[in-house]
Amino acid sequence: MFVTVPQFEQFMPRELIGPNQKYWRAVTLSLESPWYLFVYEAEFEDQRVPQTMLVGWESTLLDILASIPEGNCLGIARIQKHGEQVARWEMNWIQRIWAPTRDESNEIGLFLLQLEGDPQLRDAHLQPVQNRAGRKLLFGTPPSNSTPKESPANA
């Protein structure tokens, strides 16, 4: 967890902060788990300011997506350990995040994702997932207006 000081204040979406809050959930996992960079726009002095947040848990990422207006979510990248090398990381941008259907959530996990440049839908461990109708789109890279809100049978 990081504690901010006034000169390094992070501009948070007002939907996510409490009164007098001076901390944020971040950087809490070991090297074995992926992290996420969440890029968003926040309001500061009547302007929209781009910000980047490091997120350590998939459940926190879902909470953030549910709290911030869709138009303010600019991008999400997945950062993970590169192969067997402890000190190397790779980053992949996420094109879409889908919620699993109720009957598949125990086997799939919290969400499914599609990485930029990869047509395959994957679970949070990057294992390929079979196509299935009824999945709900939680995030799509801007512009997401043309992206359907519910997955077709081939998503």
Side-chain angles (χ1 to χ4, degrees), residues 35-39 52-55 75-79 91 93:
W35 295 2
Y36 298 89
L37 281 181
F38 182 77
V39 184
T52 302
M53 180 185 316
L54 182 61
V55 180
I76 303 171
R78 184 176 195 273
I79 304 171
M91 184 171 82
W93 287 96

Side-chain angles (χ1 to χ4, degrees), residues 3-155:
V3 178
T4 62
V5 293
Q7 63 265 33
F8 299 120
E9 192 78 34
Q10 179 81 3
F11 307 117
M12 299 299 298
R14 78 182 89 191
E15 298 86 1
L16 294 180
I17 57 174
N20 300 316
Q21 183 174 346
K22 298 292 181 194
Y23 62 90
W24 186 248
R25 299 174 281 184
V27 192
T28 57
L29 296 179
S30 71
L31 293 176
E32 300 304 315
S33 298
W35 295 2
Y36 298 89
L37 281 181
F38 182 77
V39 184
Y40 62 97
E41 284 186 327
E43 290 180 28
F44 176 70
E45 296 181 355
D46 297 326
Q47 294 182 345
R48 292 173 62 90
V49 180
Q51 299 286 286
T52 302
M53 180 185 316
L54 182 61
V55 180
W57 298 98
E58 279 103 5
S59 59
T60 302
L61 181 62
L62 293 178
D63 290 345
I64 291 167
L65 283 173
S67 300
I68 295 179
E70 183 179 339
N72 292 357
C73 302
L74 302 178
I76 303 171
R78 184 176 195 273
I79 304 171
Q80 67 186 32
K81 191 173 92 170
H82 179 73
E84 297 299 316
Q85 297 184 23
V86 175
R88 297 222 26 194
W89 292 85
E90 62 186 4
M91 184 171 82
N92 296 295
W93 287 96
I94 297 173
Q95 188 173 356
R96 292 187 180 90
I97 295 178
W98 300 87
T101 62
R102 189 176 308 228
D103 59 331
E104 70 179 340
S105 61
N106 286 338
E107 65 185 73
I108 297 290
L110 295 175
F111 61 77
L112 305 120
L113 56 88
Q114 184 179 9
L115 298 172
E116 197 172 72
D118 181 6
Q120 177 66 53
L121 193 61
R122 300 181 181 278
D123 65 16
H125 301 288
L126 298 184
Q127 296 302 308
V129 177
Q130 295 296 320
N131 299 335
R132 189 174 210 161
R135 293 175 176 146
K136 181 182 173 195
L137 181 68
L138 301 175
F139 169 79
T141 54
S144 61
N145 298 348
S146 62
T147 306
K149 295 295 180 190
E150 191 167 301
S151 67
N154 61 356

